[in-house]
């Protein structure tokens, strides 16, 4: 891998990211040195794999080739990649905490469907002591309930310190 490459950015999500995990040459990527991996949604499987196999943190970020990539998302992505110390907390006037307070921990998670379908794989790891980010779109409420129940019953959510919930629009 080219040593000048410092970031791999998923331009858009896509079904099937789990299918490629067994095809990745993890020792080769480890030898290539740390790179930032950025993207969201269906590439959640890649985020977990990069963390578990390479021990690297990843950036759950907006993706440029999506309809949701606007000027605000572009600026936040730019700051995250090039000026991470300048990134500020994003607040919303339309949301509020369900339980007020402060929590610290490593942020993990991503797309709910990919997290639930990844249970039992080497990449899933554990959410213990973490703050879990969950998002998904176009899922029926009964399917969201099923996936959350699966994560809960599997023990994956044992010891979680907090949750951050993203978009759930259909």
């Amino acid at each position: 891998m080219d040593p000048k490459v410092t970031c791999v950015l998923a331009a858009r999500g896509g079904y099937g990211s789990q299918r490629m995990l067994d095809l990745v040459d993890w020792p080769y990527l480890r030898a290539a040195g740390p790179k930032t991996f950025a993207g969201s949604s269906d590439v959640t499987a890649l985020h977990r794999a990069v963390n578990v196999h390479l021990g690297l943190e990843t950036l759950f970020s907006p993706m440029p080739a999506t309809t949701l990539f606007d000027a605000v998302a572009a600026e936040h992505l730019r700051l995250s990649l090039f000026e991470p110390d300048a990134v500020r907390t994003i607040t919303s006037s339309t949301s509020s905490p369900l339980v007020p307070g402060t929590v610290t921990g490593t942020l993990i998670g991503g797309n709910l469907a990919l997290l639930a379908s990844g249970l039992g794989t080497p990449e899933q790891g554990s959410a213990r002591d973490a703050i879990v980010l969950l998002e998904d779109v176009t899922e029926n409420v009964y399917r969201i309930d099923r996936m959350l129940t699966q994560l809960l019953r599997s023990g994956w959510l044992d010891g979680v310190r907090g949750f951050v919930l993203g978009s759930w629009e259909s």
Side-chain angles (χ1 to χ4, degrees):
M1 182 172 275
D2 187 337
K4 292 182 281 190
V5 172
T6 59
C7 178
V8 175
L9 173 64
R12 60 182 296 272
Y15 166 80
S17 64
Q18 281 185 317
R19 293 178 181 264
M20 63 192 301
L21 298 180
D22 293 330
L23 304 173
V24 175
D25 186 343
W26 297 108
Y28 175 79
L29 290 180
R30 192 175 303 104
K35 315 281 184 216
T36 298
F37 176 72
S40 59
S41 196
D42 281 350
V43 299
T44 292
L46 294 170
H47 282 282
R48 296 299 309 135
V50 166
N51 180 255
V52 169
H53 292 289
L54 304 178
L56 297 175
E57 295 177 359
T58 62
L59 177 63
F60 200 82
S61 71
M63 296 185 289
T66 65
T67 57
L68 301 175
F69 195 74
D70 58 12
V72 173
E75 178 60 9
H76 191 75
L77 179 58
R78 185 192 71 75
L79 287 171
S80 296
L81 293 173
F82 298 104
E83 300 177 48
D85 292 339
V87 175
R88 300 287 184 249
T89 302
I90 298 175
T91 58
S92 170
S93 60
T94 61
S95 65
S96 61
L98 297 174
V99 178
T102 302
V103 65
T104 60
T106 300
L107 183 67
I108 67 168
N111 179 272
L112 175 60
L114 272 284
L115 292 168
S117 64
L119 288 173
T121 65
E123 291 80 21
Q124 195 63 2
S126 168
R128 182 167 299 283
D129 295 326
I131 300 167
V132 175
L133 166 69
L134 297 173
E135 62 83 18
D136 215 322
V137 294
T138 68
E139 291 288 357
N140 292 317
V141 172
Y142 78 91
R143 289 180 49 88
I144 292 170
D145 178 67
R146 180 187 300 148
M147 291 181 277
L148 288 171
T149 300
Q150 184 178 3
L151 290 175
L152 187 63
R153 291 194 67 233
S154 73
W156 193 75
L157 295 174
D158 290 354
V160 166
R161 292 184 179 187
F163 291 91
V164 176
L165 302 176
S167 177
W168 297 94
E169 296 180 21
S170 51

